[in-house]
């Protein structure tokens, strides 16, 4: 893999893992936190992602994609527990 693309993958993975960790901590620390709460935040992330009319730039695009993916993953895992 070329160096010019590799940093993007590293950044994506870094953000994805940070978001998952934050979501896990939130769930553990807040007994009132529900799947619906996390899904609500995800809906706002979708809106923010779609509102990129002027272009955020590569790093922000990677950050948004990784954040959304982490939320989707976390929600799917939580729902599979039931």
């Amino acid at each position: 893999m070329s160096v010019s693309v590799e940093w993007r993958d590293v950044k994506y993975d870094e953000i994805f893992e940070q978001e998952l960790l934050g979501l896990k901590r939130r769930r553990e620390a807040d007994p009132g936190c529900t799947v619906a709460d996390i899904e609500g935040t995800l809906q706002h992330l979708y809106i923010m992602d779609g509102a990129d009319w002027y272009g955020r730039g590569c790093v922000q695009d990677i950050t948004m994609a990784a954040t959304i993916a982490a939320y989707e993953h976390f929600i799917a895992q939580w729902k599979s527990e039931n």
Side-chain angles (χ1 to χ4, degrees):
M1 183 178 291
S2 74
V3 174
S4 65
V5 176
E6 185 177 312
W7 73 267
R8 294 175 186 172
D9 294 334
V10 170
K11 187 65 176 173
Y12 181 97
D13 293 343
E14 175 185 309
I15 298 298
F16 183 87
E17 293 301 325
Q18 287 175 353
E19 289 295 333
L20 275 183
L21 182 59
L23 288 164
K24 288 175 187 175
R25 286 180 177 164
R26 178 178 174 189
R27 184 178 177 193
E28 291 169 0
D30 182 2
C33 181
T34 65
V35 172
D37 295 330
I38 305 301
E39 288 173 327
T41 302
L42 178 59
Q43 291 305 313
H44 288 285
L45 289 169
Y46 287 145
I47 292 167
M48 289 172 54
D49 189 38
D52 181 27
W53 297 338
Y54 301 107
R56 286 183 287 263
C58 184
V59 174
Q60 288 302 316
D61 286 341
I62 291 167
T63 299
M64 183 62 73
T67 300
I68 288 172
Y71 272 76
E72 291 171 341
H73 179 80
F74 186 79
I75 290 167
Q77 278 190 321
W78 194 343
K79 286 182 174 182
S80 73
E81 292 174 8
N82 298 326

